[in-house]
Amino acid sequence: MVGKTESQNGAVKATAAPAMNLESDLFSNFSFKSFKLKTKQQELLLRVSILGLVYILAFITRLFSVLRYESMIHEFDPYFNYRTTLFLTEKGFYEFWNWFDSESWYPLGRIIGGTLYPGLMVTAAFIYWTLRFLRFAVHIREVCVLTAPFFASNTTVVAYFFGKEIWDSGAGLVAAAFIAICPGYISRSVAGSYDNEGVAIFALLLTFYLFVKAVNTGSLAWALASAFGYFYMVSAWGGYVFIINLIPLYVLVLLITGRYSMRLYVAYNCMYVLGMLLAMQIRFVGFQHVQSGEHMAAMGVFFLMQVFYFLDWVKYMLSDTKLFQAFLRITVTSAIAVGALALGVGTASGYISPWTGRFYSLLDPTYAKDNIPIIASVSEHQPTAWSSFMFDFHILLFLFPAGLYFCFKKLSDATIFIVMYGLTSMYFAGVMVRLILVATPAVCLISAIAVSATIKNLTSLLRTKSKTAVAGSSKGTGGSKASSKASFDQSQPFQKNGAIALLLGAFYLLSKYATHCTWVTSEAYSSPSIVLAARGAHGNRVIFDDYREAYFWLRQNTPPDAKVMSWWDYGYQITAMGNRTVIVDNNTWNNTHIATVGRAMSSYEDEAYEIMRSLDVDYVLVVFGGVTGYSSDDINKFLWMVRIGGGVFPVIKEPDYLVNGDYRVDKGAAPKMLNCL
Amino acid sequence: MAPKAEAAQTLASQSDASQSSIDPLFHILKIFPYSIIRPPRLRLKLPSFTLPSPMTVFALVLLTYFMVVSGFVYDVIVEPPGIGSTQDPATGSVRPVVFLPGRVNGQYIIEGLSSGFMFVLGGMGFVLLDLALDKNRAKSVKVSYASAGISSIVIAYIMSMLFIRIKIPGYLRSCYTLAMNELLMNSK
């Protein structure tokens, strides 16, 4: 780009040289034009280099744990994903799609092909095969570890385009920078966290961007692209339910505020129909788009759009307005009546299944606490306190209301969308800590709007001052104009200094944000929970690799068909690293099976022995952290085993294990606690 | 549908409304009870539904934001006390504790509300700044808006930093094993 400018300059100078004798202001005209081109190209260069730096930054800030420990998979769920990806690359797609796994959930087994979201595994396998094709000899584990940071970088690029669509390119750049280091996103996409969300947030933002672009332009191509983006999202994460409910809600709000247009009609219809058909290709989702209560909103709005289009057409054909009013009343009433009747019949007959517990507890947060203890026990599903918000968002929490104000000031189809996305996702983030991840792109985008608008205001203050000063001094035309501007100049230097001070203040705030994000990433979100570090007695750092050593011991010292019983947290890791059959694992799809294990763990030893014989168990794995002071071991989780077991088998009663309502594990513990397995 | 049809009838004074209406329900009702019963003359008007202005909606949204960010859902489900208390080991007196120590994802009600207020104050500071840069106001109003905005932002930021420093003692200090052991239970 820079080379092109120079060559153009050279060409201009070559042509101007012979003409210079003739007209001097022709030359000045040429140099003015080349100056203009240069600025535009300078701006392009600036934008591209900023985006490139943000891309690299997003990648490298997620590499703390790879540098500190080694390149390995973290936590529990990613081990299952790693195992399935390994299977996919070894055996091929058809074997993977039809896989029945007899090594987990003994003796039930698990239909893996039909109970997982294949997007992540297929993406990683695709990257692996591409690299292999280019003759890079990488191991699949490296690809799996680095998939999440790579997709985080891609998310920043999508955020830039989204910001450009909603507000302007400055907001897009700021949004990309915010998303690159925001701790709310980093927590689930750090290198080694090979989980669905790493890819799903990219797919989510891509779908939303393509849909907003389709609504803004009304083109069929963008609408179809958004349908394919939705397909990718459905294949990647169960959170696609958020998309299929937010977009109909957005369409409804547009209809209520009177922004119905042909563009909206084209965009929503294409996206809904094609997206629904594509989503049914994933076996895990199946026919839920027409059968499940969670997806009915989309269908309802689809029919409502048809009614709106029909009414518009009738209005166009009819010239009599009073007749049209009557017709309008009848049609709307009958449409709503028919819709409600269909919904009622569907729900009553059981064809449309009601909302599942996981999603219903988002709407009514007290539901899980009373009815489904296993959902309430996961620490990620707790509601959010203010400090989690502050930890994950820092100054974005201040900029979010400001950004909402700017969006409300300049309402358009796109800003209405981002406002709705922000509000709904913030509400859900308040209900469940894990969903701060879904709110992060919206908060970053809205905050970017606030930053961009504020900085634009401040720099326009600066610019008007310097522009009138330049106009007064260099051009020298319009002397009266210069003198009238000069009268303003006495009060303006104060404003100019104030604007500079405010800009410095804004720069300070943003740099504090960057410091905070890097600190949070380094301290809190970069620990593979499978390898632990602690301070020894003399202050030196001691690293515990106990988990992996235990699994490797299982792999080497037990017969290959041994069955291991443990609490469900460790199931995925045992099958992936120990390569042995387990009774229950993290998928938690069968509550009774888990309750059986919970009952075995909390009964007296002779009863437990009977249960374990009936399940064919050879080994029991228990985690104990007393020696090292590790606090999230099985003794801490024991009360959950009691609660879940007691939920299915009333034989197990929680008060048996407590002493005066207190949970103790030393000599003063309850007798049942001392004698249980 | 019936009261609507009735109001239309009384307004159009019965002459041509009945012929031009295509509403079947209206015709049925005209025949069945209302040819026998005479409806009284009423001045009924359906409440008209006007959309609120954007700034009204913004005010409501800000209120909801305040509630969510203060951890309102956390308060409803976990039901923490309004303010905590510890016992002073030396004197035996009970002292109040404002910030729940030791965990990132836990709070007392008062600390949640005060932090939420700080966040909203900071947001309002930016809004005031933007209002101050609007051209069509008197200069003194602009100056007061600007100073109120800047002071709000500064106060909100400093207070939030103070709160988070009290809550997480190791904030911005790099000893990652300490933070990790604390947060291990909660952030996963």
Side-chain angles (χ1 to χ4, degrees):
Chain A
M1 270 165 298
V2 181
K4 211 164 59 156
T5 322
E6 284 175 352
S7 66
Q8 259 175 341
N9 262 345
V12 161
K13 282 205 171 56
T15 54
M20 200 155 144
N21 308 334
L22 306 172
E23 302 182 52
S24 56
D25 52 357
L26 182 61
F27 176 65
S28 62
N29 206 8
F30 270 137
S31 68
F32 181 73
K33 232 197 252 177
S34 64
F35 176 78
K36 238 184 162 171
L37 273 170
K38 211 168 158 191
T39 314
K40 214 164 122 180
Q41 289 178 339
Q42 268 182 0
E43 195 227 349
L44 184 63
L45 179 66
L46 205 60
R47 265 194 288 150
V48 169
S49 59
I50 290 180
L51 261 186
L53 283 176
V54 163
Y55 192 90
I56 297 177
L57 176 69
F59 192 81
I60 60 180
T61 191
R62 287 164 165 82
L63 294 180
F64 273 102
S65 79
V66 173
L67 295 172
R68 278 186 190 149
Y69 302 99
E70 61 168 354
S71 146
M72 68 181 136
I73 313 263
H74 299 182
E75 301 214 8
F76 303 116
D77 279 355
Y79 274 100
F80 171 71
N81 298 332
Y82 173 60
R83 184 167 155 249
T84 48
T85 316
L86 205 55
F87 189 87
L88 173 61
T89 52
E90 284 169 5
K91 304 262 183 11
F93 188 69
Y94 282 107
E95 281 297 324
F96 169 74
W97 203 231
N98 297 320
W99 188 16
F100 179 80
D101 181 25
S102 45
E103 278 197 23
S104 55
W105 295 91
Y106 186 82
L108 305 166
R110 177 183 169 180
I111 310 173
I112 298 232
T115 58
L116 61 55
Y117 288 103
L120 176 70
M121 296 85 182
V122 170
T123 312
F126 183 69
I127 297 177
Y128 172 75
W129 284 327
T130 314
L131 287 175
R132 282 259 158 185
F133 178 74
L134 295 173
R135 301 293 178 259
F136 287 110
V138 292
H139 189 267
I140 182 70
R141 195 191 70 234
E142 315 295 341
V143 175
C144 290
V145 163
L146 294 176
T147 298
F150 173 60
F151 273 92
S153 304
N154 294 343
T155 308
T156 60
V157 174
V158 177
Y160 163 69
F161 284 113
F162 204 177
K164 203 158 91 128
E165 189 65 30
I166 297 178
W167 200 254
D168 62 13
S169 63
L173 287 175
V174 178
F178 277 160
I179 281 200
I181 51 177
C182 187
Y185 185 24
I186 289 188
S187 65
R188 304 291 300 201
S189 69
V190 82
S193 168
Y194 181 57
D195 208 354
N196 289 332
E197 286 98 348
V199 175
I201 295 296
F202 168 72
L204 182 90
L205 208 56
L206 187 69
T207 310
F208 282 151
Y209 163 63
L210 291 172
F211 184 69
V212 169
K213 188 97 184 166
V215 170
N216 271 345
T217 58
S219 99
L220 192 63
W222 287 108
L224 296 180
S226 78
F228 278 100
Y230 177 63
F231 170 57
Y232 189 41
M233 178 72 191
V234 170
S235 73
W237 195 34
Y240 74 90
V241 176
F242 180 63
I243 297 189
I244 201 67
N245 280 316
L246 178 65
I247 288 189
L249 197 63
Y250 164 64
V251 171
L252 203 61
V253 166
L254 282 187
L255 292 179
I256 290 179
T257 54
R259 287 173 185 268
Y260 171 77
S261 62
M262 199 58 192
R263 301 173 281 123
L264 181 65
Y265 182 76
V266 167
Y268 182 66
N269 280 340
C270 297
M271 194 231 162
Y272 178 64
V273 172
L274 194 62
M276 185 170 73
L277 289 175
L278 285 173
M280 293 193 200
Q281 307 307 310
I282 311 288
R283 277 168 64 193
F284 196 23
V285 173
F287 288 112
Q288 274 183 11
H289 275 70
V290 288
Q291 277 184 345
S292 152
E294 296 146 8
H295 304 79
M296 285 299 115
M299 190 180 281
V301 171
F302 176 65
F303 286 122
L304 191 65
M305 289 281 280
Q306 311 311 318
V307 169
F308 259 77
Y309 184 74
F310 177 60
L311 287 174
D312 227 17
W313 179 65
V314 167
K315 188 169 178 180
Y316 170 70
M317 304 281 276
L318 233 48
S319 44
D320 186 356
T321 52
K322 263 183 69 174
L323 203 59
F324 176 69
Q325 291 296 326
F327 180 68
L328 177 71
R329 278 202 296 261
I330 303 172
T331 316
V332 170
T333 321
S334 54
I336 296 180
V338 165
L341 194 66
L343 193 66
V345 165
T347 316
S349 70
Y351 184 71
I352 298 182
S353 56
W355 283 61
T356 58
R358 267 175 66 194
F359 295 115
Y360 187 67
S361 65
L362 287 179
L363 294 181
D364 176 15
T366 57
Y367 176 74
K369 186 167 78 151
D370 301 330
N371 299 16
I372 316 178
I374 206 171
I375 294 184
S377 79
V378 184
S379 67
E380 287 177 327
H381 292 182
Q382 303 307 314
T384 324
W386 73 273
S387 40
S388 295
F389 277 123
M390 183 70 183
F391 210 61
D392 280 338
F393 287 136
H394 203 246
I395 58 167
L396 299 186
L397 282 177
F398 301 131
L399 295 169
F400 185 73
L404 284 179
Y405 164 74
F406 284 112
C407 284
F408 272 104
K409 230 171 78 157
K410 190 174 119 172
L411 274 183
S412 71
D413 289 351
T415 52
I416 292 185
F417 177 77
I418 197 68
V419 164
M420 291 199 58
Y421 176 27
L423 291 176
T424 48
S425 59
M426 274 303 266
Y427 167 68
F428 290 132
V431 173
M432 205 190 263
V433 178
R434 186 180 175 181
L435 293 180
I436 286 188
L437 173 73
V438 175
T440 302
V443 171
C444 288
L445 278 165
I446 295 185
S447 315
I449 290 180
V451 169
S452 173
T454 309
I455 291 191
K456 237 194 195 152
N457 280 343
L458 291 176
T459 49
S460 74
L461 255 192
L462 273 183
R463 276 251 187 91
T464 53
K465 301 298 96 255
S466 53
K467 218 199 302 184
T468 55
V470 164
S473 61
S474 72
K475 283 274 174 66
T477 58
S480 56
K481 237 170 50 171
S483 63
S484 66
K485 290 289 190 294
S487 64
F488 275 92
D489 269 7
Q490 281 102 21
S491 55
Q492 303 315 34
F494 174 67
Q495 269 197 11
K496 186 173 169 189
N497 290 338
I500 293 184
L502 285 180
L503 276 177
L504 283 177
F507 179 66
Y508 171 75
L509 270 185
L510 293 173
S511 62
K512 292 302 282 182
Y513 170 69
T515 316
H516 168 91
C517 293
T518 319
W519 179 82
V520 166
T521 313
S522 158
E523 299 293 312
Y525 290 142
S526 296
S527 79
S529 50
I530 199 163
V531 171
L532 309 160
R535 292 224 171 262
H538 307 288
N540 53 325
R541 194 178 312 138
V542 180
I543 302 220
F544 298 105
D545 211 1
D546 289 357
Y547 277 106
R548 293 199 294 172
E549 289 175 12
Y551 300 137
F552 203 57
W553 184 93
L554 271 181
R555 192 191 192 113
Q556 289 200 313
N557 298 332
T558 60
D561 61 348
K563 326 248 179 317
V564 180
M565 181 172 95
S566 72
W567 192 233
W568 57 264
D569 284 354
Y570 315 107
Y572 281 154
Q573 288 178 340
I574 297 178
T575 35
M577 281 192 281
N579 206 21
R580 295 287 173 265
T581 312
V582 287
I583 306 288
V584 289
D585 69 13
N586 306 55
N587 195 25
T588 66
W589 63 273
N590 191 335
N591 198 29
T592 315
H593 218 50
I594 297 182
T596 314
V597 170
R599 181 185 177 186
M601 290 284 189
S602 42
S603 318
Y604 291 120
E605 288 191 21
D606 31 12
E607 296 168 9
Y609 185 70
E610 293 299 314
I611 299 179
M612 292 199 293
R613 286 312 293 166
S614 76
L615 286 174
D616 259 357
V617 171
D618 299 314
Y619 292 90
V620 178
L621 181 108
V622 169
V623 174
F624 175 63
V627 177
T628 60
Y630 175 56
S631 58
S632 77
D633 59 352
D634 275 355
I635 298 233
N636 232 338
K637 296 183 196 167
F638 181 66
L639 277 183
W640 284 112
M641 300 187 198
V642 170
R643 280 177 203 143
I644 295 177
V648 179
F649 303 105
V651 182
I652 312 286
K653 291 188 273 286
E654 190 175 338
D656 286 347
Y657 301 87
L658 305 173
V659 178
N660 296 334
D662 258 349
Y663 178 54
R664 296 176 59 172
V665 295
D666 52 1
K667 278 202 302 265
K672 184 129 196 212
M673 175 78 206
L674 286 175
N675 289 324
C676 73
L677 184 64
Chain B
M1 290 301 271
K4 250 196 275 190
E6 171 186 14
Q9 203 174 22
T10 54
L11 280 175
S13 73
Q14 307 161 10
S15 52
D16 50 354
S18 42
Q19 281 94 355
S20 63
S21 170
I22 58 172
D23 188 353
L25 213 54
F26 172 60
H27 285 288
I28 296 175
L29 283 174
K30 199 166 66 139
I31 301 176
F32 177 48
Y34 291 110
S35 59
I36 311 169
I37 311 175
R38 191 170 56 90
R41 293 263 186 104
L42 292 172
R43 307 246 173 129
L44 281 178
K45 232 166 50 156
L46 270 183
S48 62
F49 175 66
T50 55
L51 289 176
S53 84
M55 284 306 142
T56 321
V57 179
F58 174 65
L60 284 174
V61 159
L62 206 60
L63 197 62
T64 339
Y65 176 70
F66 170 66
M67 283 176 36
V68 166
V69 154
S70 318
F72 182 70
V73 184
Y74 183 90
D75 295 339
V76 165
I77 294 193
V78 176
E79 289 168 17
I83 197 164
S85 57
T86 76
Q87 215 177 17
D88 195 3
T91 63
S93 63
V94 177
R95 284 184 331 187
V97 168
V98 183
F99 290 94
L100 181 70
R103 289 162 50 187
V104 172
N105 195 35
Q107 65 178 34
Y108 295 125
I109 299 187
I110 301 262
E111 87 177 79
L113 288 174
S114 48
S115 315
F117 174 69
M118 283 304 146
F119 297 146
V120 171
L121 188 68
M124 283 299 100
F126 280 101
V127 172
L128 284 172
L129 257 190
D130 176 68
L131 284 177
L133 294 172
D134 188 7
K135 304 258 185 264
N136 312 326
R137 291 181 208 266
K139 185 131 190 299
S140 60
V141 176
K142 277 166 73 166
V143 167
S144 59
Y145 272 176
S147 53
I150 297 174
S151 54
S152 300
I153 298 177
V154 168
I155 290 179
Y157 178 69
I158 294 180
M159 292 302 285
S160 303
M161 283 296 110
L162 185 67
F163 286 167
I164 198 93
R165 250 177 250 279
I166 299 178
K167 179 116 180 156
I168 304 178
Y171 184 64
L172 282 183
R173 246 190 295 141
S174 138
C175 42
Y176 64 91
T177 57
L178 176 68
M180 205 174 60
N181 275 333
E182 277 177 34
L183 301 166
L184 210 67
M185 242 199 316
N186 312 300
S187 63
K188 301 292 183 283

